[in-house]
Amino acid sequence: MGTPIEYAASRESTDVVRIAAEHGLFIGGAFVEPKAGRRFATVNPATEERLSDVAEADADDVDAAVAAARAALPAWSRAPGRERAKVLYRVARAIQERGRELAVLETLDGGKPIRESRDVDVPLAAAHFFYYAGWADKLEWAFPNRTPRPIGVVGQVIPWNFPLLMAAWKLAPALATGNTVVLKPAETTPLTALLLAEILQECEVPAGVVNIVTGAGSTGAALVEHPDVDKIAFTGSTEVGKAIQRAIAGSGKRLTLELGGKAANIVFDDCAVDQAVEGVVNGIFFNQGHVCCAGSRLLVQEPILEPFLDKLRARMALLRVGDPLDKNTDVGAINSAAQLTRITELVDAGVAEGAERWSPSTCVLPDRGFFFAPTLFTGVTQSHRVAREEIFGPVLSVLSFRTPDEAVAKANNTTYGLSAGVWTEKASKLLWMAARLKAGVVWGNTFNKLDPTSPFGGFKESGFGREGGLHGLHPYVALS
């Protein structure tokens, strides 16, 4: 073998970002101080350095935000669709124009590689606003022979793995259909949502149409339980999703949940092997595995199991783990110390239960920050925790199968049902599998491909409701 290639650092400049020492809440079109004066720190997970002190909203702040959204609702909901479309188009263009700033801030606050923030998160965020701007004046065609009306005031709670993209994912269809919103970002990654608030101001989104309250679980609970909120949209863990469903039972609030996953990536012996290896790597190591639809269970047909794993290990050895701002980095920082502890606990459980752990010997982790080496488990059984529980990190569990029926049985042997992938050269086999896999999204010969025109969502403990595409309008309208 030749000498490994050494890459010179190619670090993205942070000069395009100005992070204020303190951030307020965005209520009624303006940044305001929290009523109780409490703040919390948001840190860079790659360096553990404090980035900013962010306002912590309590129940009184949430009440003010909901009141602002309620006051803005009549004018916004009655505005012609083309006027709402103009506003959303302006937001989409502004996201594009400030794309580099948003990408760098997303990487600083969340730890994901700058290539992913720049090439995936920011373009997709803009695309969602563009797409739903196109629907804003066409709702009567989206729902033929029905009269669509906005639900009202929507509470939206988003996770830390795709902060800007999840905000766009939630906001765009809600605004296009005439609703007003109170958005609660994750406490570990609030900064791009607050920068988006500045963009909304610049784009002259009417005051109160979008309100952003930052904080931890208690802030989200205050929003979920507020009596003047008409609908809740939540993306996050299954445990919290169940708690939300219990909290609003009997209240009349509408609810959509996009929760956890334990996706099977199924590789048949007739696949294009090199292509499948790349798809498996992308499926689990993209965004450090912080992806609800990550392909965290690899099912390989027995005739190619060992050669496939040899190629997979060789490919994993080339992954570069380190500074998220370096354009050469493939795997960045784990989002928080708490998430790193969770990953470590489950990996230790896998070893204790008898699975064989492997990570590239070439992987040297930085001395500072929250990092975890890309990890492969073989000798896994379906009873192992690493095969059953969502790890939400760069950890892949490998199982084998002999027949398509066995692959389906093993893939569906989970409480989740968000996504799956199938790798085969035979289209008939792919379609046969897709019809039998209990997953909201099934990718064929690819993985982790998302588009604003295509619906996304799950079954079982992965939640209910769909986001994206025409289907993404349904949760935000009442039809008569």
Side-chain angles (χ1 to χ4, degrees):
M1 295 180 64
T3 303
I5 296 174
E6 294 293 333
Y7 288 84
S10 178
R11 200 168 190 271
E12 176 63 86
S13 172
T14 59
D15 291 345
V16 295
V17 176
R18 296 289 181 268
I19 303 176
E22 293 186 345
H23 284 80
L25 308 170
F26 186 66
I27 298 175
F31 286 95
V32 300
E33 291 300 302
K35 294 183 183 298
R38 290 194 296 269
R39 297 183 181 277
F40 61 94
T42 183
V43 303
N44 180 343
T47 63
E48 303 179 58
E49 295 173 349
R50 181 189 298 257
L51 294 172
S52 180
D53 290 328
V54 180
E56 181 179 352
D58 61 13
D60 291 335
D61 297 306
V62 170
D63 190 58
V66 172
R70 181 64 64 186
L73 180 63
W76 181 251
S77 62
R78 288 197 295 263
R82 65 180 179 276
E83 296 302 320
R84 294 198 299 270
K86 290 177 184 177
V87 172
L88 294 183
Y89 276 126
R90 284 201 296 269
V91 173
R93 288 194 293 269
I95 290 173
Q96 289 180 320
E97 290 165 1
R98 300 181 69 169
R100 188 178 177 202
E101 179 184 4
L102 285 162
V104 171
L105 185 59
E106 194 79 315
T107 289
L108 286 171
D109 204 22
K112 65 177 60 187
I114 186 64
R115 289 185 314 177
E116 295 176 8
S117 299
R118 180 195 65 200
D119 298 342
V120 179
D121 295 51
V122 172
L124 271 178
H128 275 81
F129 277 102
F130 275 125
Y131 176 72
Y132 282 108
W135 273 119
D137 62 347
K138 303 174 184 67
L139 297 179
E140 60 187 286
W141 285 277
F143 306 101
N145 302 315
R146 307 292 295 275
T147 301
R149 293 176 288 105
I151 298 296
V153 175
V154 177
Q156 300 179 328
V157 182
I158 59 174
W160 45 259
N161 55 339
F162 293 95
L164 177 66
L165 178 55
M166 287 293 102
W169 201 323
K170 292 278 192 291
L171 287 172
L175 300 182
T177 48
N179 301 278
T180 55
V181 176
V182 180
L183 178 76
K184 207 291 282 186
E187 64 271 26
T188 60
T189 54
L191 295 185
T192 45
L194 294 170
L195 181 53
L196 180 60
E198 292 182 20
I199 292 172
L200 298 177
Q201 280 183 317
E202 294 169 2
C203 294
E204 300 179 350
V205 175
V209 169
V210 176
N211 307 273
I212 299 176
V213 291
T214 47
S218 59
T219 305
L223 179 58
V224 166
E225 296 168 6
H226 197 286
D228 206 26
V229 170
D230 301 300
K231 173 192 162 49
I232 296 294
F234 172 77
T235 296
S237 72
T238 295
E239 179 184 1
V240 175
K242 289 179 178 180
I244 289 173
Q245 194 167 13
R246 287 192 294 267
I248 70 171
S251 68
K253 290 187 176 89
R254 293 202 182 190
L255 177 65
T256 48
L257 297 173
E258 196 266 280
L259 307 175
K262 194 68 179 175
N265 217 348
I266 305 165
V267 177
F268 283 94
D269 59 4
D270 61 356
C271 73
V273 172
D274 290 338
Q275 179 187 359
V277 168
E278 288 299 314
V280 169
V281 167
N282 177 65
I284 185 58
F285 301 121
F286 172 70
N287 197 27
Q288 298 75 252
H290 296 337
V291 185
C292 51
C293 55
S296 55
R297 289 184 299 149
L298 173 61
L299 275 62
V300 184
Q301 199 161 21
E302 285 188 3
I304 63 166
L305 177 61
E306 291 308 323
F308 189 89
L309 290 180
D310 289 342
K311 283 181 173 285
L312 179 59
R313 290 188 184 98
R315 179 65 181 88
M316 287 174 60
L318 299 177
L319 293 173
R320 295 180 293 277
V321 181
D323 181 4
L325 285 169
D326 190 335
K327 301 181 189 74
N328 296 314
T329 295
D330 298 303
V331 180
I334 301 302
N335 180 263
S336 66
Q339 186 58 29
L340 180 58
T341 299
R342 163 75 176 168
I343 295 167
T344 303
E345 174 200 342
L346 284 170
V347 167
D348 289 346
V351 174
E353 291 176 342
E356 183 178 345
R357 176 185 178 181
W358 181 88
S359 293
S361 59
T362 54
C363 180
V364 179
L365 301 181
D367 295 329
R368 269 196 319 174
F370 313 129
F371 291 89
F372 198 89
T375 298
L376 181 72
F377 272 112
T378 54
V380 176
T381 70
Q382 294 183 82
S383 63
H384 282 154
R385 289 182 67 190
V386 292
R388 293 185 292 108
E389 298 183 30
E390 184 179 38
I391 300 175
F392 224 61
V395 181
L396 179 63
S397 299
V398 181
L399 300 97
S400 64
F401 68 92
R402 295 180 179 179
T403 67
D405 284 318
E406 184 184 356
V408 169
K410 286 186 173 179
N412 289 339
N413 184 23
T414 174
T415 59
Y416 297 108
L418 189 56
S419 63
V422 179
W423 299 84
T424 174
E425 289 290 89
K426 294 182 172 61
S428 59
K429 185 187 295 181
L430 195 160
L431 294 172
W432 186 92
M433 291 289 295
R436 289 160 177 79
L437 292 170
K438 295 177 182 177
V441 177
V442 179
W443 286 291
N445 295 320
T446 189
F447 208 90
N448 273 344
K449 298 299 181 185
L450 302 172
D451 189 277
T453 67
S454 179
F456 181 87
F459 302 120
K460 300 189 285 187
E461 291 195 4
S462 290
F464 50 81
R466 293 294 181 267
E467 296 178 295
L470 172 61
H471 299 70
L473 295 170
H474 283 261
Y476 295 101
V477 295
L479 299 175
S480 58

